[in-house]
Amino acid sequence: MEMKVLMNHIYELRKGVRQMVLFTCNKKYGEQVAGRLESKGIPYVLQPVGEQNLNFYFGRRECLDAIRLIITRPLCMLTPEEDFILGAMLGYDICAQCERYCQRKGRHNNKN
């Protein structure tokens, strides 16, 4: 199943639907994922996640250059600003990212 998800992400990247992808998998698939990305000439950044998982960031080099500057620690330790930037880069709904940012800053306002 994990490889099917990876192949769908690669397809979307190639079609221009996404500029960057974050793919999390079990470490046992790490070599297989890296091999697939390398065989397709897709650059990536690898981040260990705990004892069992790996985060693969892959896509446009410009995005990965920024990721190398932002992702220097576990995702749960990102500042609200870094979290917002990452979500925007991954193509997450920008309004949802704004809400998440405000909540993380402790300034969520439900007024219209």
Side-chain angles (χ1 to χ4, degrees):
M1 180 62 176
E2 290 192 35
M3 295 310 285
K4 280 188 173 188
V5 172
L6 174 66
M7 294 310 295
N8 186 63
H9 286 321
I10 290 172
Y11 173 81
E12 290 179 347
L13 182 70
R14 295 280 171 133
K15 290 293 183 182
V17 174
R18 298 173 181 264
Q19 302 303 310
M20 188 180 74
V21 174
L22 168 55
F23 178 72
T24 303
C25 68
N26 188 288
K27 284 185 179 179
K28 67 181 176 182
Y29 298 112
E31 286 183 32
Q32 190 177 359
V33 172
R36 182 64 55 102
L37 294 172
E38 289 168 8
S39 73
K40 297 201 173 288
I42 299 172
Y44 66 90
V45 172
L46 184 60
Q47 177 191 37
V49 182
E51 298 293 319
Q52 300 296 319
N53 295 313
L54 298 170
N55 279 341
F56 282 87
Y57 299 87
F58 60 92
R60 301 274 308 260
R61 289 197 186 279
E62 302 90 334
C63 296
L64 296 178
D65 288 345
I67 286 298
R68 285 183 187 93
L69 297 172
I70 296 169
I71 308 302
T72 58
R73 57 197 175 283
L75 295 181
C76 64
M77 297 180 73
L78 294 181
T79 67
E81 292 79 12
E82 291 166 333
D83 180 80
F84 181 87
I85 292 167
L86 177 61
M89 290 174 69
L90 290 168
Y92 296 170
D93 177 272
I94 200 69
C95 291
Q97 283 302 110
C98 290
E99 283 184 18
R100 179 178 167 90
Y101 174 74
C102 290
Q103 287 172 347
R104 291 194 68 205
K105 290 295 278 190
R107 297 187 186 132
H108 190 66
N109 184 353
N110 288 327
K111 294 179 183 175
N112 290 332

